[in-house]
Amino acid sequence: MSLLLDVLSWVLLLSGGLLSIVSAFGVLRLPELFQRMHSATILDTLGAGLVLSGLILQAGFTVISFKLFLVFLLLALTTTTAAHALAKSALADGIYPKGIDPEVVRAGLSEGLPGRQRIATDRARERVAPPASPQEDPPPQPSEEGGPPWA
Amino acid sequence: MYAATALLLLLAMGMTLVRALRGPTVFDRILAVNMFGTSTVLMVSVVSFMHHVTDMTDIALIYALLSFTGTIAVLRFVEIDHERREMERAEQEREVLP
Amino acid sequence: MIAEHAIILVVVLPLLVAPLCVLLGRGTLAWGAATLAVWSSFGLALHLLGRVLEEGVLRYQLGGWAPPVGIEYRLDLAGALVMTIVTAIGAVVLPYSFASVRREIDEHRHAWFYACLLLCFAGLLGITVTGDAFNLFVSLEISSLATYVLVSIGRDRRALTAAFRYLLLGTVGATFYLIGVGFLYQMTGTLNMEDMARILTEARPDGLGPVHSTKTVRAALAFLTVGTFLKIALFPLHVWLPNVYAYAPSVVSAFLSATATKVAILVLLRVFYTVDGKATPFDALPIADTMVPLAIVGALVASFVAIYQRDVKRLLAYSSIAQVGYMAIGIGLATQAGLAASLLHMINHAIMKGTLFLAVGCIVYRVGQTRLEGLRGVGREMPLTSTALVLGGLSLIGVPLTAGFVSKWALLQAVLADSHWIVAALILLSSLLSILYVGQVIHVLLLRKRPPGAAPIQEAPLWMVLPTLVLAIGNLWFGIASDQAAEVSRQAAEFLIREVAP
Amino acid sequence: MGVAIDIILLLFLLSIAFAACVTRNLFSAAMLFGIFSLISATLFVVLDAVDVAMTEAAVGTGVSTILILITLASTGYRVSPRPAGRQVLALAVSVVLGATMVYGTLDMPSLGSPDAPVHTHPIAQYYTEVSPVEMGIPNMVTPLLASYRGYDTLGETAVVFTAGIGVLALIGRRRRKDPLPIVEEFREGGANRHRVLRVISKQLIPPILLYACYVQAHGDFGPGGGFQAGVIFASGLMLFMLLFGVEHARRIIRPVVLEKLIALGLLIYGGVGLVNILQGGAFLDYRTLAHDPQHGLHYGILTIELGVGITVAAVITTIIYSFASHLRDHVMQRTLRLRQGADAAQTSPESGA
């Protein structure tokens, strides 16, 4: 039984290690940000899960196991949330996945959100140049709904 | 076995490190640092088993908690910086226009 | 009970009144608490000095753990001497600070200011009294960090850059010290200074001569020495000093110039004599060969630069660098007479620089600036302040019957006893230069006329003038009745040197 | 195998240090520092220095990165190149420094050698063999820090205290008589655009604070103690600040309260020492606190760790509040200026006509 557990934990550990290599290789070699993010999540969830469960098998039913489980839980929660926020920030900064029409992304980004929560750039622009300006020859104004011209 | 896993993780850390150094965008760096944090957590846990000093799982736990805080902080300040650049651009535009 | 614990209370009282100041929150209350703490420290320090003179080295086991397991406080005569200087200056400066701080620092910062002043004070005292190399570093950090805050807390924006520069260089100095202690710990396995000194003379486990001849210990000494040189502001590592003294609030300039470099010199003596004494660092490293030339060049250059300063505080700051040079010469001679002269000059310089900066602070209180052009004739309308200033200035030059003369004379004798004729001549030259810069200040203050139409000026408030005059009279006292101070510093030097001889 | 891991980690450190020196973009340098601290903490773990690793983990990953970033956000991310002469001088100084350090290591006992003076000196045996019996505390580091060299720790707490007071004195915000007009967009600060982030991360704050308490109390048995606990606690508050904005965070724990807490922690620590003197022992001799010396030691260590924890948590929170408020004021003022500029640009042609 103990041998079986050992072998199982070794397999888990090693496969976790190998997955981490795969994931890191992807982060290193894939051509653009969003593909790299996709690759990074392999380690964040599956790789970490495998390594930690391998260790949990070794530790048995102890406090250590509980702590390792906590670590896994935290990693699963935080890394995914961080990835979400990262992608959102990147989109707001004007970095789009390849092969996707920026207009579509932009429309998607500002459509789903209520006015107060539109993405950073829209707000920054508005803040700088208040909309209603009765001037002749005004600076290029972002219209309320359509989104500003992205510089 | 722990050592083999540790070495594999180290290799992964190395590759991530290269990505963090190369960029090219800020977000690539943040991604790499975040992933580096995850591998460090795993690495610390594995090393603690390797050395039979199981106290170190506490450190892994702290990392998991705090490296997330770090990532959020970085993201927040990227946003602030972004807005700042927008504002600077607007300032320049205004200086040019009138 | 107080007598038994005096050696720790002298440090811990100001250290713990500092958070109390923050809790009290109000400037006046904080000032009161700080003054009480500093005065009681002064009393304790005098008591300790008396006891050290009678009983020899005092020891105290912190936490009740026998050294080297725990930290030991160990007060020898040199430490007690510097401790008395620091507490005395503190006791004089604090009454003075009440009015001056109100004028120069924003009101909501007063409590923080007094807290930092107390921390700086406690840190400096901790250095004088500790017998543990790492504990010395901790005290050094407390005092340095508090100093950076003190320098930059005033309204002068230029103080911020000065303090930042000091922060960088001071941190480098402290880090060097820490690296040195780390190396020594590697080779000795202990942090207690006496224990270190003992192990350094023992044979190495691998049978290759005594421990102090290893490369590691030599590198450690080099790091300790250079790090401390930075803190002393020995030429050419003095670049941080002029701006710090010039732009800091008056109280801070006076307190720092009179105490900080003196304590740093004590650190150097601890490194050379207490830790590495038996290994005779002067043979292991070319310390004397580098220190004396650096010191004498520093004294000359700084005096020369001081002549061209248009700002009184900067001028005094450069003069401080020159005076530190004199003290370094005495130490670099590595003789008992030289060391005694350095210690004596340390006391006297604390008094005269304290006098001068306090007097300048009085002027700042009324005039609001320190540029020479703006001070024309101001001295005539502030007779008491200018009396103090003149006394301090004469003492700085080294006119007979003032404190400065006594110690310079002792230094010259020590130099001549080693027949360093050139050094002696250069010291005299540097003193001549000091006549020029002090004369310039006195000329502008007293002999020039106030520009027509300038607003009349009053004498500074009594609570500022009185401490200034006390220190000024100290200049005369230590110049006329100089035997006691000379005797104490001779004994202190003898004790330090005797530690060298097994 | 351990050596291989050491070497690889050291190589990582070296390459990061080099990259951080070379880069002109301070933002990436700040991120590199984050990784640097991650690696050095791993190195501490590999060297079995658990308490140090914990401190590095707590300080390096969260607090110091954030401080650097806030500073950069209010000053700018790019450095201008330095004149070549200075660089040569700096290089020369670094080379001499490095050479001296290498020279110093030549005669040093090799790492982990049992013959090293550090191990052969009697105090090493005292700390490893007598101390656990005397103290009854399994974690060897805690009694060393808190009791044998407890006075040093008091000093370090005073250093932390000074840092906190210093930051307050230099950039602490005064209560304004005429507060800045609040720009509407800034009323709800923090990560208000990231709803998912807010909802999930909010759940993490209580566990972080709870964990800080665990670390605080657990110092006798495992790695931890007041310092680490304080930093972790402050990190929890910092996460709150990042999510909901500094103004909101300042309402949760008011800066005035923090200021008093900073002082309180140090006073608790020093107060224990004074109580010891009153009870007839030496300063910080905890054995006087109870009839059984070992109990006294435990009480003493727990109390002073509490003092350290309070001071550290309050100081770090204060520093971050001050920096963040400074940044917020800076951004708001800038926005206001920009708006006024826009208003002026609108009105000026009319006034001209």
Side-chain angles (χ1 to χ4, degrees), chain C residues 5 19 22 60-61 63-65 68-70 73 108-109 112 119 132 134-135 176 187 195 199 214-216 223, chain D residues 97 101 104 107-108 117 121 123 127 134 147-149 151-152 162 169 174 259-260 263 281-285 287:
Chain C
H5 296 285
V22 175
Y60 188 87
Q61 297 176 356
W65 303 110
V69 169
Y73 260 14
H108 69 288
R109 296 194 171 121
W112 297 330
L119 284 166
D132 189 284
F134 184 76
N135 189 248
F176 275 25
M187 297 312 288
D195 209 23
I199 293 175
T214 54
K215 293 173 179 134
T216 310
F223 272 116
Chain D
L97 196 64
M101 291 196 80
D107 277 347
M108 232 180 231
H121 194 281
I123 56 170
Y127 289 147
E134 190 174 46
S147 181
Y148 296 122
R149 300 194 69 86
Y151 188 65
D152 276 347
T162 318
R174 206 188 327 184
E259 187 190 327
K260 306 299 176 199
F283 188 72
L284 292 180
D285 187 351
R287 283 170 294 194

Side-chain angles (χ1 to χ4, degrees), chain C residues 254-441:
Chain C
F255 182 70
L256 286 183
S257 68
T259 56
T261 44
K262 317 300 173 280
V263 173
I265 284 177
L266 184 73
V267 176
L268 195 66
L269 296 180
R270 286 273 179 260
V271 172
F272 283 170
Y273 290 101
T274 312
V275 173
D276 202 37
K278 299 191 176 64
T280 54
F282 293 97
D283 301 338
L285 289 175
I287 290 172
D289 293 347
T290 48
M291 211 169 152
V292 174
L294 279 182
I296 191 75
V297 170
L300 279 175
V301 170
S303 304
F304 198 70
V305 176
I307 298 174
Y308 290 96
Q309 294 307 314
R310 310 313 312 159
D311 183 299
V312 181
K313 281 172 93 178
R314 267 180 87 87
L315 185 150
L316 290 178
Y318 273 105
S319 129
S320 273
I321 298 169
Q323 304 287 323
V324 162
Y326 296 151
M327 293 172 225
I329 292 172
I331 296 170
L333 291 175
T335 61
Q336 190 187 324
L339 195 56
S342 281
L343 287 172
L344 188 59
H345 197 58
M346 213 149 104
I347 308 176
N348 293 344
H349 180 240
I351 297 171
M352 55 188 155
K353 262 301 142 51
T355 316
L356 285 170
F357 271 111
L358 287 185
V360 170
C362 290
I363 295 175
V364 171
Y365 186 83
R366 286 298 180 211
V367 185
Q369 57 136 326
T370 52
R371 293 188 65 76
L372 272 176
E373 299 94 81
L375 300 183
R376 275 175 297 179
V378 167
R380 297 177 173 197
E381 304 184 35
M382 301 175 75
L384 293 174
T385 304
S386 43
T387 313
L389 197 76
V390 168
L391 275 176
L394 292 180
S395 184
L396 194 62
I397 299 171
V399 175
L401 291 184
T402 60
F405 171 74
V406 179
S407 46
K408 253 185 201 171
W409 184 245
L411 185 66
L412 274 178
Q413 277 181 328
V415 169
L416 290 177
D418 263 18
S419 53
H420 291 303
W421 297 100
I422 305 173
V423 177
L426 290 175
I427 291 178
L428 283 178
L429 179 63
S430 153
S431 295
L432 286 179
L433 290 175
S434 67
I435 296 181
L436 282 180
Y437 60 74
V438 172
Q440 199 182 14
V441 175

